[in-house]
Amino acid sequence: RKEVEQDPGPFNVPEGATVAFNCTYSNSASQSFFWYRQDCRKEPKLLMSVYSSGNEDGRFTAQLNRASQYISLLIRDSKLSDSATYLCVVKAGFQKLVFGTGTRLLVSP
Amino acid sequence: DGGITQSPKYLFRKEGQNVTLSCEQNLNHDAMYWYRQDPGQGLRLIYYSQIVNDFQKGDIAEGYSVSREKKESFPLTVTSAQKNPTAFYLCASSIQWGTNEKLFFGSGTQLSVL
């Protein structure tokens, strides 16, 4: 089983739609969780950290479910500019970061 | 502006040749990293450095070498021993190893084999 698993997609949604991605992790000792955004052949950029209580940043909401060992990212009112690959990243303590393979999102007019 | 600079953007390697990818940061970060990204795969850690003059192997270090003689610089050499070097290489830094601080990435180098 992979340490971090994501549905590769693509998720095809129209502008204005709400879309959600999940990411499962296998290490129950994982303590830090992040969502990164990566445009095609560009560097990943931190979108948001994921906190235990859940957190929101504008149209983006991140949730953590420790019992089921997954994190989620919800995007409301999708924009064309949201089209990208979303990487789930997990870290256990002082260990290295583990990156998921990414979920591709395509927002169409 | 502070950031991480990778060069070159594109690099071609002939069989049997060693090539070096440059990574420079002016963020005053202690930790630096090299990742490899292949289509359909997550980023995989090649080498990392927690502090100047120190570096550690990551998950896929075979066929690669690094140095960290200066805090700002963490060059990666892809040696002829790396039989499948075609990939997108990303350099990153963070304030410290082992903290919750985010990674800052360079813009990447696409390496291809001639």
Side-chain angles (χ1 to χ4, degrees):
Chain A
R1 182 184 174 186
K2 289 184 179 179
E3 290 184 80
V4 176
E5 291 199 70
Q6 294 184 255
D7 182 340
F11 284 57
N12 290 285
V13 302
E15 269 188 294
T18 296
V19 62
F21 314 131
N22 279 347
C23 165
T24 59
Y25 59 94
S26 60
N27 188 346
S28 59
S30 298
Q31 297 174 349
S32 303
F33 309 89
F34 311 90
W35 284 103
Y36 277 74
R37 171 195 168 126
Q38 185 176 26
D39 293 293
C40 189
R41 283 309 181 200
K42 296 287 182 72
E43 71 274 24
K45 293 183 179 178
L46 180 66
L47 180 65
M48 56 198 305
S49 302
V50 186
Y51 302 119
S52 297
S53 55
N55 46 298
E56 188 174 305
D57 183 2
R59 298 181 293 109
F60 299 85
T61 300
Q63 297 279 352
L64 168 64
N65 185 316
R66 285 192 184 275
S68 300
Q69 294 185 200
Y70 74 86
I71 64 172
S72 64
L73 178 67
L74 180 79
I75 305 175
R76 289 181 298 278
D77 189 22
S78 298
K79 311 291 185 190
L80 294 176
S81 57
D82 293 334
S83 296
T85 296
Y86 292 84
L87 305 176
C88 169
V89 185
V90 175
K91 182 173 182 179
F94 280 80
Q95 295 179 31
K96 61 180 172 64
L97 294 174
V98 180
F99 286 78
T101 56
T103 296
R104 191 171 171 211
L105 172 64
L106 297 173
V107 182
S108 54
Chain B
D1 286 339
I4 299 183
T5 301
Q6 281 188 246
S7 63
K9 191 171 179 65
Y10 300 97
L11 185 59
F12 296 91
R13 192 192 90 167
K14 295 179 182 178
E15 197 164 335
Q17 185 182 39
N18 291 355
V19 292
T20 298
L21 284 59
S22 170
C23 178
E24 303 278 331
Q25 55 100 357
N26 60 4
L27 298 167
N28 201 33
H29 286 175
D30 282 327
M32 297 188 74
Y33 315 79
W34 274 105
Y35 290 92
R36 169 180 172 142
Q37 187 173 35
D38 295 275
Q41 296 197 40
L43 275 67
R44 292 184 290 168
L45 184 64
I46 304 172
Y47 267 98
Y48 64 95
S49 170
Q50 298 180 43
I51 201 164
V52 66
N53 291 322
D54 178 73
F55 52 82
Q56 308 292 333
K57 292 182 179 180
D59 300 317
I60 54 165
E62 186 174 350
Y64 300 97
S65 66
V66 294
S67 62
R68 187 85 187 277
E69 297 175 1
K70 297 187 299 182
K71 188 175 186 178
E72 305 80 24
S73 179
F74 191 41
L76 174 74
T77 296
V78 184
T79 74
S80 57
Q82 173 48 246
K83 299 305 180 187
N84 185 23
T86 297
F88 188 52
Y89 290 85
L90 287 158
C91 179
S93 72
S94 64
I95 292 178
Q96 277 185 305
W97 168 263
T99 67
N100 200 25
E101 296 294 335
K102 69 175 183 177
L103 290 182
F104 292 77
F105 284 90
S107 56
T109 294
Q110 175 63 49
L111 175 63
S112 303
V113 177
L114 288 176

